[in-house]
Amino acid sequence: MSRASTAQAWITEHLPKLISVHKVPGAQVAVLVDGEVVDAAAGVVNRTTGVPVAPDAVFQIGSITKVWTATLIQQLVNEGRLDLDRPVRQYLPEFALADEHAAATVTVRQLLCHTSGIEGDRFTDTGANDDAIERYLPTLADAEQLYPPGEQFSYCNSGYVVLGRLVEVLREQTFNAALREHLIAPLGLAHVATHVGEAILELPAIGHLGPDPQPAPVYGLPPSTAPAGAALAMPAPSLLGFVQLHLDERAFDVMRETQVTAPPLGALGDRWGLGWMLYDQPEHSMIGHDGGTIGQYAFLRVVPEAGVAVAVLTNGGDAAALFQDVGGHLLAELAGARLPALPRVPEEPAPVDAHRATGTYRSTLLDFDLTVHDDGTTSLTTTPRTSEARVLLGKDSITQQLVGLGPDRLITVEERAGRHEVFVLIGKDADGRAQYLHNSRAAARFTG
């Protein structure tokens, strides 16, 4: 039996059991090995209707879209039409931020590897017409700067929307049209939906929220944020068809080169390339990306030297734990690669410095109120600042207990979507207090 056939048999047998264990309504798994893609599906696309997940059902891939956007950018670089180290404003003269110096100097490369410093989780709805991304760009004129461009890593959705607009201007077509003309059609990818109007002509998976996952009230995020991951949906095999491009074309190898080291969060890569998360492995390099929209969670890992990739697409539940079981087994068996273990609550928590940690930290979407109490316990209250954040959070606010995971690291005691979230204290102000609370985004200490 070939390795592909072995992988096919394993996922066909185990996926139905594992989605039940992890309360995932429905999932698709696809595996690329020895140049062959095999896949399996289980569960339902919508718990209300009970319609089964078919092999051609489309799941939103969320922020994995960023690798597609980065690939469109790299194509322009390969054609000699774009220089990553030039300021964005050389290509988009109208680009503006609250900090004029940052707006004038931030480079395309810094947007690609999330070092722009823009406080950029803005999901502003500018309509569903072809000019949605163009109209989004001026909404960043009052976006604050967390730190000078290039100083450190902070995940930035808005930066990828700017990259999408850059694609539109240089290609003289909409972002979705560029996706189709330069990636989807040349690669022969089937059942790929770039927006809601295309998704409803397929069999769309519906996101589910909550511990007893129920259909989400909204499908997708505003079309204006498509380059960051608002809408792109497809079956898992089509996602691996895209991955094959990165394995076959050496011109894209540069995207896997380290650009910045990430904070020790556990859920992200150890380093970042151009669009790709990079994972430290003792024997093989591993790249990938995760994605999440409203109740849909997607996972992709690739071991380029082994020619192996695994994609897991889900529509709710403890998705991260499902991926750990499925992806962990397949990557170990087929590529000798190890998925990093999910962060766990330590039996003996580390002490948390109350003076350094306690305070309110503010991001575009959320307020984080972190308190180290007199009895030594630590709590974090997360409050949405926008209606979009309220939908993503699923409630008006949540309070979680945290414990110390190590120096300047804290971890939630309870799981959400199969994962304990890690927060890192970054920087030091004049009084020795942390400047940022980092959970992939750097939320700045609020002093106003």
Side-chain angles (χ1 to χ4, degrees), residues 72-96 103-112 134 137 161-172:
L72 291 175
I73 291 289
Q74 188 61 45
Q75 286 177 331
L76 290 163
V77 173
N78 295 343
E79 294 170 14
R81 301 177 62 181
L82 180 64
D83 184 335
L84 296 186
D85 294 310
R86 289 187 177 178
V88 173
R89 193 175 272 181
Q90 289 194 16
Y91 303 99
L92 301 175
E94 71 277 22
F95 178 58
T105 59
V106 67
T107 66
V108 180
R109 185 184 302 276
Q110 288 164 347
L111 294 181
L112 282 168
E134 179 182 2
L137 204 64
V161 181
V162 177
L163 292 169
R165 178 58 185 156
L166 186 54
V167 169
E168 290 189 329
V169 169
L170 294 182
R171 289 295 184 197
E172 298 183 338

Side-chain angles (χ1 to χ4, degrees), residues 48 85 105 132 176 183 195 219 221 231 294 298 337 360 362 376 397 402-403:
T48 298
D85 294 310
T105 59
N176 287 340
L183 289 175
H195 57 83
Y219 178 84
L221 296 164
I294 301 175
T360 296
R362 173 162 286 184
S397 69
L402 279 66
V403 296

Side-chain angles (χ1 to χ4, degrees), residues 129-319:
N129 293 330
D130 287 347
D131 63 351
I133 296 170
E134 179 182 2
R135 293 177 61 195
Y136 178 96
L137 204 64
T139 71
L140 296 179
D142 63 348
E144 297 292 337
Q145 201 68 20
L146 289 164
Y147 48 79
E151 184 175 280
Q152 60 176 292
F153 173 91
S154 182
Y155 194 85
C156 182
N157 279 295
S158 298
Y160 266 77
V161 181
V162 177
L163 292 169
R165 178 58 185 156
L166 186 54
V167 169
E168 290 189 329
V169 169
L170 294 182
R171 289 295 184 197
E172 298 183 338
Q173 60 186 163
T174 67
F175 176 77
N176 287 340
L179 276 176
R180 195 157 294 282
E181 181 176 335
H182 295 279
L183 289 175
I184 298 167
L187 295 174
L189 305 180
H191 305 288
V192 178
T194 63
H195 57 83
V196 174
E198 292 178 346
I200 62 175
L201 298 177
E202 305 286 349
L203 175 60
I206 304 301
H208 293 70
L209 299 171
D212 177 25
Q214 298 299 317
V218 178
Y219 178 84
L221 296 164
S224 58
T225 56
L232 192 58
M234 66 194 67
S238 291
L239 180 53
L240 295 191
F242 165 77
V243 168
Q244 190 69 61
L245 170 70
H246 283 264
L247 297 179
D248 292 343
E249 299 290 340
R250 298 300 302 272
F252 296 107
D253 287 359
V254 66
M255 295 175 61
R256 308 200 297 258
E257 295 178 2
T258 299
Q259 305 293 317
V260 63
T261 299
L265 293 161
L268 293 175
D270 302 290
R271 295 164 287 114
W272 281 75
L274 301 176
W276 288 111
M277 298 180 185
L278 312 177
Y279 300 85
D280 291 332
Q281 291 282 308
E283 297 186 11
H284 295 294
S285 62
M286 185 163 65
I287 63 176
H289 211 291
D290 295 342
T293 55
I294 301 175
Q296 300 200 47
Y297 310 99
F299 306 87
L300 174 65
R301 297 293 183 274
V302 186
V303 184
E305 293 91 340
V308 170
V310 176
V312 178
L313 309 183
T314 74
N315 61 351
D318 293 341

Side-chain angles (χ1 to χ4, degrees), residues 11 21 29 42 59 66 71 91 153 222 225 252 268 311 328 331 342 350-351 419 433 439 441:
I11 56 178
V21 168
V29 176
F59 286 73
K66 290 182 175 68
T71 303
Y91 303 99
F153 173 91
T225 56
F252 296 107
L268 293 175
L331 290 165
L342 291 176
R419 178 180 288 163
R433 302 177 304 170
N439 68 338
R441 286 91 162 149

